[in-house]
Amino acid sequence: MGHREDLLEGAKRCLLEKGFVRTTARDIVKESGTNLASIGYHYGSKDALLAEAYVSIVEGLSDDFDAGGTATASAEPGSLERFQEVWSNVIGTMQKPGSMWHLSMEIVVMGDKVPGVRDHLAKAQREGARGIVPLLMGGLEEDVPDRDVDTLGKFYMTLMMGLIAQWTFDPETAASAEELTEGLRQVLAKAGAGTGTGAVDSADAPGSAAAVTAERSS
């Protein structure tokens, strides 16, 4: 590997061990076997490097809850079953010892102390919203329209941040995928009753595969 890759891998290890605030440029240099000048040359700043390292760590988790994986292959995209399976896989990564999701909470709680990191990650958050839609709804990330990013994507990212907060603060009472799915089922049923259509079947529910297919073909 070259210095750029060495720095990224070193920064990832430092993040998992020390977090954002406690990681210094010298920590990264020591861990990566490079030099201070390399950080500025390849990434511009320590904050930019840490932000990219964090994004890389998150992307590395995608195999654990990717919609194409065996754990979700049996569920129809957009269905309540798919919703439960994907969030079950996501929560599974939060339950692992030494889960890296606490880094996200560090950004939220101490954002004013790591403005450079926060600003870089804020720019990446929209693409995160775009990437999560296919996990639950099927299709390809590059085909997700902006309107879905601003609605479905933001909805899922809000749910993600809430789960991270719960599992970081009190894993014993944090929501399970089954509880989230049952909550969504109740919301859909009430919404259907409120419009005079009765209980909503999962196949016809807003956001279901059938509903999405009908919407996109109209």
Side-chain angles (χ1 to χ4, degrees), residues 39-85:
I39 295 178
Y41 178 79
H42 290 288
Y43 291 94
S45 69
K46 183 200 75 171
D47 285 344
L49 170 55
L50 288 177
E52 188 161 336
Y54 173 78
V55 171
S56 179
I57 292 172
V58 173
E59 289 175 344
L61 290 173
S62 63
D63 289 343
D64 290 327
F65 50 83
D66 194 310
T70 56
T72 55
S74 63
E76 183 72 15
S79 66
L80 288 174
E81 292 75 17
R82 177 65 155 252
F83 181 91
Q84 180 169 322
E85 288 180 347

Side-chain angles (χ1 to χ4, degrees), residues 1 12 18 93 139 179 217:
M1 293 190 296
K12 287 162 64 175
K18 296 186 173 184
T93 68
E179 291 168 338
S217 62

Side-chain angles (χ1 to χ4, degrees), residues 18 174 182 184:
K18 296 186 173 184
E182 178 56 28
L184 177 59

